[in-house]
């Protein structure tokens, strides 16, 4: 039994970590192919080392580019690699250009494809991630959904028979890491000169927020108006676009920092008063760590976090008020599973092998 995981962007490395560990524990051969979509050490290497993920077996080194150019280059480079590996499953993760390229490369070779984090929908057709996830779900043979809501989207699209709800693998990781970062948290707060519960952590990288100068300026003004320090962990795309648009990031409450490795991120977030973000993963991580989240988008795929009161959607002018709102009522709801999703993923892949041939 051989599984080939194809990954390329930061959130996929986090999802890969528990899957790689579960493959190892189950004695399943696991080959890791890195497309090279993210190549900066801070977006890639630090995740492999800190989360104890084996080095990629294959590095395609594709790098940045327009959507078509990047996706096409990955598709072309993946075909001979997948063909040579001839795996029982090609496992693709999430909703990036790497995900879609790998799903397409595999179906064209008649290799069985499983999509992890299937069924998420924003219903916003302007997002590249929405195209990637819808197309990947319809191409894949097996849809590993994180939640019942995700499974219901797949059912509505006629894909119920290929769907299994496994839980959310990012939830597996966040709790494992959170249990081991108490010391790192205190050290980080000391280095940054902030006190627990008195700062927010912000991230911003989505095209719809960074690529329009007026929208970006409005969001930065919103962050700057928060009444406590906002530590902005700046993705390279944010820095590049802010430079291009002439929007200074450091203003008012905002302090700009480099992106953090995963353990440091978890350590910092778990001590924050709140999170302000447009990232999908961070909305969920904040919820799992019970830190209130403000999401700078018009919709979210992780609707459970909003329904349970731990996440609010905010436009640029609403950020400052949202970031200082009262803490919501405590909850022990667990919409993202029990922290053992990755074991279930491997179990399902082993049990379903051959059925799609
Ligand atoms: C990608 C995913 C997005 C995911 C995000 C996580 C797509 C369509 N988008 O967005 O879903 O949430 O990753 O971070 O796949 N850059 C660097 N160094 C790098 C990588 C990128 O400097 O290692 C810069 C380049 O200027 C590049 C830009 O960031 O053009 C965008 O990178 P790209 O991988 O195209 O998309 P992300 O914005 O990271």
């Amino acid at each position: 039994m051989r599984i080939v995981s194809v990954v390329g962007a930061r959130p996929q490395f986090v999802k890969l970590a528990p899957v790689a560990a579960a493959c190892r524990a189950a004695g399943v051969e696991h080959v890791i192919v890195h497309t090279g979509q993210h190549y900066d050490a801070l977006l890639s290497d630090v995740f492999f080392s800190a989360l104890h993920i084996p080095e990629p077996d294959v590095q395609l080194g594709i790098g940045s580019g327009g959507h078509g150019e990047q996706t096409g280059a990955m598709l072309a480079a993946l075909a001979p690699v997948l063909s040579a590996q001839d795996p029982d499953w090609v496992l693709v993760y999430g909703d990036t250009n790497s995900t879609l390229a790998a799903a397409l490369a595999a179906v064209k070779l008649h290799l069985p494809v499983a999509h992890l984090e299937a069924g998420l929908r924003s219903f916003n057709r302007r997002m590249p991630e929405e195209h990637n996830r819808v197309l990947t779900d319809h191409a894949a043979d097996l849809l590993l959904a994180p939640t019942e809501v995700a499974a219901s989207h797949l059912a509505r699209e006629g894909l119920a028979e290929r769907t299994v709800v496994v839980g959310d693998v990012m939830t597996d990781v966040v709790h494992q890491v959170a249990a081991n970062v108490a010391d790192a948290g205190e050290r980080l707060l000391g280095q940054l000169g902030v006190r627990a519960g008195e700062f927010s952590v912000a991230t911003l990288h989505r095209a719809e927020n960074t690529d329009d100068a007026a929208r970006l300026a409005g969001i930065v003004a919103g962050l700057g108006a928060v009444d406590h320090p906002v530590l902005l962990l700046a993705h390279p795309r944010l820095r590049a676009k802010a430079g291009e648009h002439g929007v200074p990031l450091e203003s008012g409450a905002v302090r700009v920092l480099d992106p953090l490795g995963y353990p440091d991120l978890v350590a910092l977030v778990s001590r924050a008063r709140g999170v302000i973000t447009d990232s999908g993963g961070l909305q969920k991580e904040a919820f799992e760590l019970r830190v209130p989240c403000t999401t700078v988008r018009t919709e979210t795929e992780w609707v459970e976090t909003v329904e349970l009161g731990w996440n609010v959607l905010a436009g640029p002018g609403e950020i400052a008020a949202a970031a200082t709102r009262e803490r919501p009522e405590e909850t022990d709801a667990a919409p993202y599973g029990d922290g053992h999703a990755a074991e279930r993923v491997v179990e399902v892949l082993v049990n379903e092998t051959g059925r799609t041939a």
Side-chain angles (χ1 to χ4, degrees), residues 151-238:
S152 75
H153 295 149
L154 294 168
R156 214 166 307 129
E157 293 173 24
L159 301 173
E161 279 180 14
R162 298 185 222 166
T163 301
V164 182
V165 177
V166 289
D168 172 50
V169 295
M170 285 179 109
T171 298
D172 299 8
V173 192
V174 72
H175 291 296
Q176 285 162 19
V177 171
N180 294 313
V181 290
D183 293 349
E186 293 317 307
R187 175 179 47 77
L188 257 178
L189 294 197
Q191 281 168 3
L192 295 169
V194 289
R195 283 202 294 264
E198 296 183 7
F199 63 93
S200 283
V201 175
T203 75
L204 213 57
H205 74 278
R206 284 195 187 275
E208 56 272 30
N209 284 334
T210 58
D211 291 11
D212 178 81
R215 170 99 183 159
L216 180 61
I219 295 171
V220 174
L223 296 176
V226 174
D227 72 356
H228 54 264
V230 173
L231 307 180
L232 176 59
L233 310 177
H235 185 287
R237 181 194 197 105
L238 173 64

Side-chain angles (χ1 to χ4, degrees), residues 9-11 37-40 43 64-65 67 70 95-98 128-129 132 205-206 235-237 240:
R10 178 169 62 175
Q37 178 170 353
H38 284 175
Y39 42 87
D40 281 0
L43 294 190
S64 303
H67 287 291
Q70 187 183 50
D95 55 19
T96 74
N97 291 342
S98 298
E129 292 83 1
N132 288 341
H205 74 278
R206 284 195 187 275
H235 185 287
R237 181 194 197 105

Side-chain angles (χ1 to χ4, degrees), residues 232-298:
L232 176 59
L233 310 177
H235 185 287
R237 181 194 197 105
L238 173 64
R239 283 196 200 264
K241 291 291 172 183
E244 222 173 272
H245 301 321
V247 175
L249 293 175
E250 192 117 7
S251 77
V254 177
R255 277 177 59 190
V256 180
L257 304 172
D258 279 334
L260 291 175
Y262 195 74
D264 281 353
L265 176 82
V266 170
L268 195 64
V269 166
S270 57
R271 284 160 181 77
R273 165 168 180 168
V275 161
I276 308 167
T277 192
D278 61 5
S279 147
L282 196 47
Q283 293 172 51
K284 241 179 327 155
E285 283 148 3
F287 171 75
E288 290 298 325
L289 297 167
R290 295 300 188 267
V291 174
C293 185
T294 299
T295 296
V296 190
R297 286 181 51 194
T298 47

